[in-house]
Amino acid sequence: MRNANSNLNIRRKGVLTGWTFVLLSVVMIFIFYFYPMVQALIMSFQTGTGSNLEFTGFSNYTRLFDDSMFITAVKNTFIYLLIQVPVMIILALFISVLLNDSKLKFKGFFRTAIFLPCVTSLVAYSIVFKYLFAGDGLVNSMLLNLHLIDTPIGWITDPFWAKITIIIAITWRWTGYNMIFYLSALQNIDHSIYEAARIDGASATRQFFGITVPLLKPIILFTSITSTIGTLQLFDEVMNITKGGPGNATLTISQYIYNLSFKYSADFGYAATVSYSIVIMIILLSFLQFKVAGDKNG
Amino acid sequence: MAKSKRFFTYLFLSIIAIVSIFPFLWMVISSTNKSVDVTRGRLLPGSHLLANFQKLVETTDLQLSLFNSAKISLTTTVLALLIASLAGYGFEVFRSRTKDIVFNILLLSMMIPFAAMMVPLYRMFASISNVAPGIGIDTMASVILPTVTTAFLIFFFRQSTKMFPKELLEAGRIDGLSELGIFFRIYLPTMKTTYAAGAIITFMSSWNSYLWPLIVLQTPQTKTMPLLISTLGSGYAPDYGMILIAIVIGTIPTALVFFLMQKQFVAGMTGSVK
């Protein structure tokens, strides 16, 4: 009886010590993540300038649908999302399958080189890209010298090409990052599966779609969700390459929130409403991606 | 047939590798050239490296920004590792049903976009400024506090703790060490590689962080390197050589970390999904 009691005491003590280990992080995450989230939700029902906010119900939410700048930002963000994310994921998958070949030489060099863009800060590489893609920049002069174009392309100044420049930039920065995830997943696939497929006469393409893609599906899902979340919050690149221009042609939702809060006369309530549109999109898109991946599984 | 396929594999990978490296090469080479030469498309190293550097030091607060960045990222890294490893350890070693629920709630914070928090966070620190200016807007604390605890790092430490041999815990208890003693004297030294990977990932994101510092750091004296580079880069008549050397300097710390600790670097990035 005594023994059982003291055992219980040790247990109880264990429970308390356990909480002291995790307490600080729990408090920090509640203060700096969940509390602001709730605050933003409350603010999204308020309007006013600066800190003089009043409750106005759903007026901010109805304003979203008449706000052409918001609609432009959403459109731009979705153009980036629908073109850039699939291109990057397919490219990263393709590269990692090539690199996973055991007979390939210079593997380490290729892997390091392709991963290298990940060490740059988003600001630093954005400025470098802005200069490379300038009207009189190196990219234009190379294309002109190779006679691929007759007149310089407005990579930064033309509404269409500016979007392309942003897409090229993000793809350059993040393809290697995604490749690393696929490579480490590929290393866990048993080579005998491919051997068996080869003996059965399966072509490389068939092996790719029949073995590699299904086995990598969880990691493809993971990377496409993180890339989607990242793209929905795109800010640094657009801010530093095009500033959202020309004429809002590259403006993103995050940048619009920034402008609403810190550039124009601070409209915190409406900015919070716009920010909640990102939250809703992330939830919907993540759910959709899970659903698509799940269905193919069944 | 097989041979030509091989050839195209090498060709394709070489093109991708060149495209990946080229902007680095261009930025390093251009930082040694005069601005005019950069505009002319000169792709050979020049002799203006020192002149560009001198101009950068004279016209900007380079040393100050470097110092601010170093101070912020190193403090963030040390604190983040401490907070997250304590938590990851606690959640795994003292596992209980309630703690698992709390852990899952913490993980939800990874889904919250920063864009949705930045306005309330800014207002939070603006009101703190009135009471405690030392940790309000425009201070190092205001940059560090909201970013120092991440569910990602807690998750990362918890996953790694699963590999930690439980016999060591028992041994520590028998030796009469306190629970914190076990953590600091046994767990911490055993998990060096996990700490290294966590340190790299935290240092990188802190050193490169832009949006939040842009919002809270409002005076030239508190600027970090990304803010300095961004300001230089947005000028109308850019001095390419000078700006590119600023970018090179800003990239050196993270590039060094990458080349010296490639293995832990990759472990830190992919650690969460293994």
Side-chain angles (χ1 to χ4, degrees):
Chain A
M1 188 62 202
R2 247 204 90 185
N3 213 341
N5 227 335
S6 74
N7 225 338
L8 203 78
N9 272 336
I10 289 178
R11 271 257 178 91
R12 172 112 347 119
K13 213 182 122 202
V15 170
L16 276 179
T17 343
W19 283 109
T20 53
F21 273 91
V22 303
L23 187 70
L24 185 56
S25 65
V26 174
V27 170
M28 290 289 280
I29 289 199
F30 269 84
I31 297 178
F32 294 112
Y33 287 83
F34 295 125
Y35 175 71
M37 256 326 257
V38 175
Q39 278 292 312
L41 184 64
I42 296 170
M43 280 160 61
S44 74
F45 295 105
Q46 299 175 321
T47 47
T49 41
S51 39
N52 307 316
L53 294 173
E54 277 175 18
F55 277 97
T56 46
F58 282 92
S59 71
N60 283 336
Y61 285 90
T62 48
R63 183 177 158 191
L64 283 180
F65 296 97
D66 299 320
D67 181 354
S68 63
M69 204 155 356
F70 171 71
I71 293 167
T72 309
V74 173
K75 252 191 228 158
N76 292 340
T77 307
F78 270 80
I79 290 173
Y80 299 140
L81 193 66
L82 292 174
I83 299 173
Q84 197 271 328
V85 175
V87 166
M88 175 184 66
I89 285 181
I90 291 168
L91 189 63
L93 256 178
F94 191 57
I95 295 170
S96 46
V97 169
L98 291 181
L99 283 179
N100 196 43
D101 184 345
S102 53
K103 276 173 261 161
L104 189 81
K105 282 177 199 141
F106 315 116
K107 203 188 291 183
F109 165 74
F110 285 130
R111 199 180 43 213
T112 308
I114 298 169
F115 184 72
L116 205 56
C118 285
V119 310
T120 60
S121 81
L122 301 184
V123 174
Y125 99 84
S126 297
I127 306 280
V128 170
F129 267 69
K130 177 175 148 182
Y131 292 160
L132 283 174
F133 283 82
D136 55 357
L138 196 66
V139 173
N140 266 338
S141 53
M142 273 177 158
L143 291 174
L144 284 168
N145 283 335
L146 293 169
H147 296 288
L148 290 171
I149 51 170
D150 299 324
T151 46
I153 292 176
W155 293 104
I156 312 282
T157 47
D158 179 86
F160 170 77
W161 288 107
K163 286 192 189 77
I164 302 282
T165 308
I166 300 282
I167 289 172
I168 294 175
I170 311 170
T171 309
W172 179 83
R173 172 66 168 72
W174 293 100
T175 302
Y177 175 81
N178 287 292
M179 173 195 78
I180 289 293
F181 285 93
Y182 302 144
L183 267 180
S184 72
L186 280 172
Q187 273 154 14
N188 295 330
I189 298 181
D190 194 348
H191 269 280
S192 59
I193 305 179
Y194 290 104
E195 293 295 328
R198 222 166 291 146
I199 292 166
D200 287 347
S203 66
T205 328
R206 247 198 84 84
Q207 285 175 36
F208 179 74
F209 287 107
I211 303 171
T212 313
V213 173
L215 283 174
L216 289 192
K217 209 164 65 182
I219 197 79
I220 296 175
L221 179 67
F222 172 83
T223 51
S224 53
I225 288 179
T226 45
S227 306
T228 304
I229 295 179
T231 311
L232 283 177
Q233 302 190 65
L234 198 64
F235 178 82
D236 299 16
E237 286 89 343
V238 178
M239 187 74 175
N240 285 293
I241 299 177
T242 60
K243 282 222 175 335
N248 297 329
T250 54
L251 182 80
T252 62
I253 309 175
S254 277
Q255 203 188 1
Y256 186 43
I257 298 170
Y258 177 84
N259 290 347
L260 281 171
S261 319
F262 305 110
K263 206 175 149 197
Y264 315 144
S265 63
D267 194 347
F268 290 138
Y270 186 56
T273 314
V274 176
S275 74
Y276 253 78
S277 73
I278 300 191
V279 178
I280 294 164
M281 283 177 220
I282 286 181
I283 294 171
L284 287 179
L285 288 173
S286 304
F287 180 74
L288 188 77
Q289 283 167 335
F290 262 110
K291 203 83 185 130
V292 170
D295 282 351
K296 274 187 198 147
N297 214 4
Chain B
M1 182 67 191
K3 234 179 193 169
S4 75
K5 211 180 114 192
R6 202 104 277 240
F7 172 74
F8 280 111
T9 302
Y10 283 109
L11 183 71
F12 177 75
L13 287 175
S14 304
I15 292 173
I16 301 277
I18 290 169
V19 170
S20 299
I21 298 175
F22 183 76
F24 286 95
L25 279 180
W26 180 78
M27 126 190 149
V28 173
I29 290 172
S30 300
S31 69
T32 67
N33 280 318
K34 262 200 268 187
S35 197
V36 212
D37 289 330
V38 179
T39 332
R40 281 194 199 123
R42 184 185 156 102
L43 287 176
L44 293 168
S47 54
H48 270 259
L49 180 71
L50 274 180
N52 286 335
F53 181 70
Q54 215 156 24
K55 196 169 170 207
L56 179 68
V57 174
E58 279 162 15
T59 54
T60 67
D61 291 317
L62 176 74
Q63 295 100 310
L64 204 54
S65 299
L66 271 174
F67 180 64
N68 288 337
S69 270
K71 212 166 53 173
I72 290 174
S73 4
L74 291 175
T75 315
T76 304
T77 307
V78 172
L79 290 178
L81 286 181
L82 185 70
I83 297 171
S85 64
L86 278 169
Y89 177 87
F91 278 119
E92 186 58 30
V93 171
F94 302 98
R95 205 170 166 181
S96 71
R97 202 188 294 160
T98 342
K99 274 197 215 80
D100 278 355
I101 295 171
V102 173
F103 178 74
N104 285 324
I105 294 174
L106 295 194
L107 285 190
L108 276 182
S109 69
M110 289 207 275
M111 295 288 282
I112 303 178
F114 183 74
M117 306 190 299
M118 66 190 190
V119 176
L121 278 176
Y122 173 77
R123 294 187 69 201
M124 187 196 276
F125 279 97
S127 56
I128 290 176
S129 288
N130 299 326
V131 218
I135 55 168
I137 296 293
D138 219 17
T139 62
M140 190 173 132
S142 66
V143 183
I144 297 174
L145 280 172
T147 48
V148 74
T149 320
T150 60
F152 170 81
L153 205 59
I154 299 171
F155 180 77
F156 179 61
F157 271 102
R158 185 183 184 169
Q159 288 300 102
S160 313
T161 307
K162 287 188 202 289
M163 310 291 180
F164 179 70
K166 298 286 172 315
E167 301 82 54
L168 288 178
L169 277 177
E170 292 306 322
R173 283 186 187 139
I174 290 165
D175 284 350
L177 280 174
S178 67
E179 291 298 327
L180 266 181
I182 295 173
F183 178 82
F184 283 109
R185 296 224 197 129
I186 302 177
Y187 178 82
L188 210 148
T190 322
M191 305 295 280
K192 261 188 228 139
T193 47
T194 308
Y195 277 91
I200 291 168
I201 198 94
T202 314
F203 177 81
M204 287 279 296
S205 68
S206 179
W207 181 269
N208 291 338
S209 152
Y210 173 63
L211 176 53
W212 180 240
L214 176 70
I215 293 171
V216 281
L217 300 180
Q218 296 165 341
T219 48
Q221 284 73 38
T222 52
K223 258 187 197 168
T224 57
M225 276 309 278
L227 295 182
L228 177 81
I229 291 169
S230 175
T231 315
L232 286 177
S234 62
Y236 281 107
D239 183 329
Y240 292 109
M242 180 188 92
I243 298 170
L244 286 161
I245 188 138
I247 295 181
V248 171
I249 292 171
T251 311
I252 286 174
T254 52
L256 265 184
V257 169
F258 171 67
F259 281 111
L260 294 178
M261 308 174 88
Q262 240 187 89
K263 232 187 199 153
Q264 286 92 327
F265 196 101
V266 171
M269 294 222 151
T270 54
S272 58
V273 286
K274 261 189 192 154

